[in-house]
Amino acid sequence: MMKNAVEVHDLVVVRGDNEVLHGLDFTIPVGQVTGLLGPSGCGKSTLMRTLVGVQAGVTGTATVFDQPAGARQLRDRVGYVTQAASVYDDLSVTENLAFFAKVLGVDRDEVAKAIDKVDLASHQDQVVSKLSGGQRSRVSLAVALLGTPDLLVLDEPTVGLDPVLRQDLWGLFHRIADGGAAVLVSSHVMDEAERCDRLLLMRDGVFIADGSPAEIKQKTGADDIEQAFLTIVREAA
Amino acid sequence: MTPRITFAVAARVLTQIRRDHRTLAMLLVLPCLLISLLWWMFDGPAAGPSPMFDRFGPGLLAIFPFMVMFLVTSVTTLRERSSGTLERLLAMPMGKVDFLLGYAIAFGVLAAVQSLLAVVLSVYVLDLEVDGPVWLLGVVAVVDAVLGTALGLFVSAFANTEFQAVQFMPLAVVPQILLCGLFVPRPALPDVLQVISDLLPLSYATDAMTDLKHGEETAQIFGLLGIVAGFAVGVLILGAATLRRRTA
């Protein structure tokens, strides 16, 4: 049986007066890239924030490696990339990474490795504010790779990137998963679905499908995931 | 609290400031320029001798580090909150105390340099008469700066934009400047204002500077300094309460 990195049961998240997630049940296994796909505003980011333990208003259970999500013991085992590049604009790429490495207690030589993984070695001494949007989000991603985390939670890490680079990064995500980590990647772009081992399709705070891309297409008789998504929504209506 | 993380935060904040040449220059040079302006107004060559620079000088040495560090800290932490870096740090093994102390140390160091320049200028160039030990002026200034940093961290929790953060200065800083005894000696204030003045930390910082100038007992000055430090710790604890790991 495959080990689960994340086990969630009856998860409800309320933000202000709105219930954003309506009783989710799911697991995320290690060794796979799990895609969380859905239109923007459907609750993907809220779910990811819950898994890393920074979301308020959570009921139900969410455990990560058998600990409650956000537990102190998990903070150096979970890599998290927020949707906006959360790095310091006025520091260089290396300075950013070196700072976060110190916070995580990770060896200094991990810094160069993480920069290499996101292909920014040629820009390592540049100040982040001088980089393009895509390069900045790669700096943010590199921070999450520090210290080889056991669970990677990536909120739209490939938005706005050059297709060649996007392909490289998906290759990287799979290598990380093959190394025994669990990888959760969100996207609102349905054509990224095919690159995942498994998909959670989300709409309005609930999952409307859960399975491998092939399974979901077969079940709905659709040619691609976008069509499958539409078919499921239409049938439910 | 983890010293490794605390000092990492402090070093990072200092690197950011060092990168920003204009801010650094303003932090270090502006207080000196304003003190020189004050001297020119009151004691300058054309004005003839007057006791006014001696009266206002010590108070200004207390007010500048407080005001400047308040402003810089409230804007920097607000930026940290809105850019997502704070959220990321809190998802890492970082204690809230590490974050707050890191900022306090960084701005304390900056204040030490700032007050070194301001004190040397006031005492050795502009002839501000100080009867107490001159180095103690620097110590009071650093504690003052930490107080400003603590208050800036705290109010940044109530601002959503940098505009709002800057507007907190008239609210949190200006009344303290008016009531600290610089303009009207504290015992001469109306009763109600005297009570309010007793509740504001900058009053004790200004008292400490004035006592130093008049050569009061060092023990008394350390007592006042203790009160200012107590306020700074209290506000830092309040600031810690506003750093929530889990947010809506």
Side-chain angles (χ1 to χ4, degrees):
Chain A
M1 200 190 93
M2 208 177 303
K3 214 173 135 266
N4 284 328
V6 173
E7 293 187 2
V8 169
H9 183 63
D10 200 22
L11 179 76
V12 173
V13 174
V14 178
R15 292 179 67 188
D17 295 330
N18 295 332
E19 191 177 289
V20 184
L21 302 179
H22 316 289
L24 302 180
D25 285 274
F26 66 99
T27 57
I28 297 173
V30 298
Q32 282 195 356
V33 176
T34 304
L36 177 60
L37 269 84
S40 72
C42 73
K44 299 185 301 287
S45 296
T46 305
L47 176 57
M48 296 188 132
R49 282 169 44 84
T50 306
L51 295 182
V52 299
V54 296
Q55 179 65 48
V58 178
T59 50
T61 53
T63 56
V64 176
F65 299 114
D66 302 321
Q67 310 255 10
R72 184 179 293 268
Q73 296 92 319
L74 292 171
R75 286 188 201 137
D76 52 3
R77 295 183 65 188
V78 178
Y80 171 43
V81 176
T82 53
Q83 210 164 355
S86 35
V87 288
Y88 298 99
D89 273 353
D90 39 8
L91 296 182
S92 74
V93 176
T94 306
E95 283 166 346
N96 264 291
L97 272 284
F99 167 65
F100 287 108
K102 246 189 216 149
V103 171
L104 288 165
V106 164
D107 264 1
R108 187 67 163 69
D109 46 327
E110 289 269 333
V111 168
K113 279 188 215 159
I115 294 174
D116 266 342
K117 280 182 192 160
V118 298
D119 197 23
L120 279 177
S122 53
H123 294 82
Q124 58 180 0
D125 295 320
Q126 236 169 320
V127 173
V128 170
S129 60
K130 302 257 188 264
L131 300 178
S132 72
Q135 289 168 330
R136 268 149 96 148
S137 60
R138 276 188 283 156
V139 180
S140 194
L141 175 62
V143 173
L145 300 178
L146 286 169
T148 44
D150 300 318
L151 168 64
L152 261 184
V153 177
L154 311 174
D155 202 350
E156 312 231 356
T158 56
V159 171
L161 295 185
D162 157 45
V164 177
L165 196 62
R166 221 159 59 160
Q167 190 170 22
D168 289 350
L169 285 182
W170 280 98
L172 172 66
F173 301 156
H174 280 283
R175 282 197 301 283
I176 291 168
D178 292 344
V183 182
L184 178 66
V185 185
S186 76
S187 178
H188 67 268
V189 190
M190 293 291 166
D191 64 4
E192 296 205 301
E194 301 286 348
R195 305 186 196 260
C196 303
D197 297 316
R198 172 179 163 232
L199 293 176
L200 293 164
L201 294 192
M202 196 180 209
R203 187 163 188 263
D204 290 338
V206 291
F207 291 136
I208 56 172
D210 175 356
S212 70
E215 281 166 5
I216 292 175
K217 281 187 290 188
Q218 194 192 12
K219 217 186 272 175
T220 53
D223 293 334
D224 59 36
I225 296 297
E226 178 137 12
Q227 283 306 319
F229 191 93
L230 289 171
T231 310
I232 297 167
V233 172
R234 228 176 274 136
E235 278 169 8
Chain B
M1 185 200 146
T2 320
R4 181 195 79 230
I5 299 177
T6 310
F7 286 107
V9 173
R12 187 213 83 212
V13 173
L14 287 174
T15 313
Q16 285 179 290
I17 301 267
R18 210 184 52 212
R19 268 292 139 68
D20 185 352
H21 297 293
R22 206 171 296 177
T23 299
L24 188 63
M26 299 242 256
L27 278 175
L28 299 180
V29 179
L30 214 51
C32 293
L33 282 177
L34 292 174
I35 287 174
S36 307
L37 180 68
L38 187 82
W39 169 84
W40 196 10
M41 260 165 60
F42 288 131
D43 274 17
S50 110
M52 296 303 268
F53 181 60
D54 268 356
R55 208 190 120 197
F56 283 100
L60 284 187
L61 287 176
I63 288 169
F64 281 138
F66 173 73
M67 193 169 76
V68 173
M69 296 308 162
F70 172 87
L71 260 184
V72 179
T73 313
S74 57
V75 173
T76 351
T77 16
L78 183 78
R79 230 190 269 165
E80 188 122 40
R81 284 176 205 266
S82 53
S83 71
T85 46
L86 182 64
E87 174 173 319
R88 166 167 249 167
L89 286 174
L90 290 176
M92 287 183 173
M94 140 127 14
K96 295 174 188 175
V97 176
D98 293 319
F99 182 82
L100 292 168
L101 273 187
Y103 265 92
I105 292 172
F107 287 120
V109 168
L110 266 179
V113 180
Q114 183 196 65
S115 60
L116 180 77
L117 295 174
V119 167
V120 166
L121 174 79
S122 306
V123 175
Y124 299 107
V125 181
L126 305 178
D127 287 330
L128 178 72
E129 272 179 46
V130 178
D131 295 337
V134 172
W135 61 270
L136 209 48
L137 286 173
V139 177
V140 179
V142 170
V143 177
D144 258 9
V146 174
L147 176 74
T149 297
L151 207 59
L153 280 164
F154 176 66
V155 303
S156 77
F158 304 99
N160 293 323
T161 63
E162 292 181 17
F163 267 142
Q164 289 176 7
V166 175
Q167 293 305 323
F168 271 108
M169 192 162 105
L171 180 70
V173 175
V174 174
Q176 298 207 54
I177 296 179
L178 292 178
L179 296 176
C180 73
L182 187 66
F183 298 104
V184 176
R186 296 215 296 132
L189 285 170
D191 289 348
V192 177
L193 294 184
Q194 212 169 337
V195 173
I196 297 175
S197 162
D198 283 345
L199 295 174
L200 299 174
L202 192 63
S203 307
Y204 298 94
T206 314
D207 282 355
M209 286 294 194
T210 316
D211 284 359
L212 244 172
K213 179 185 156 32
H214 294 127
E216 302 284 347
E217 292 286 326
T218 315
Q220 185 179 326
I221 290 157
F222 274 111
L224 290 166
L225 211 51
I227 296 175
V228 180
F231 269 106
V233 172
V235 178
L236 273 179
I237 291 170
L238 284 178
T242 68
L243 290 181
R244 297 267 165 76
R245 224 173 263 280
R246 290 176 183 273
T247 49

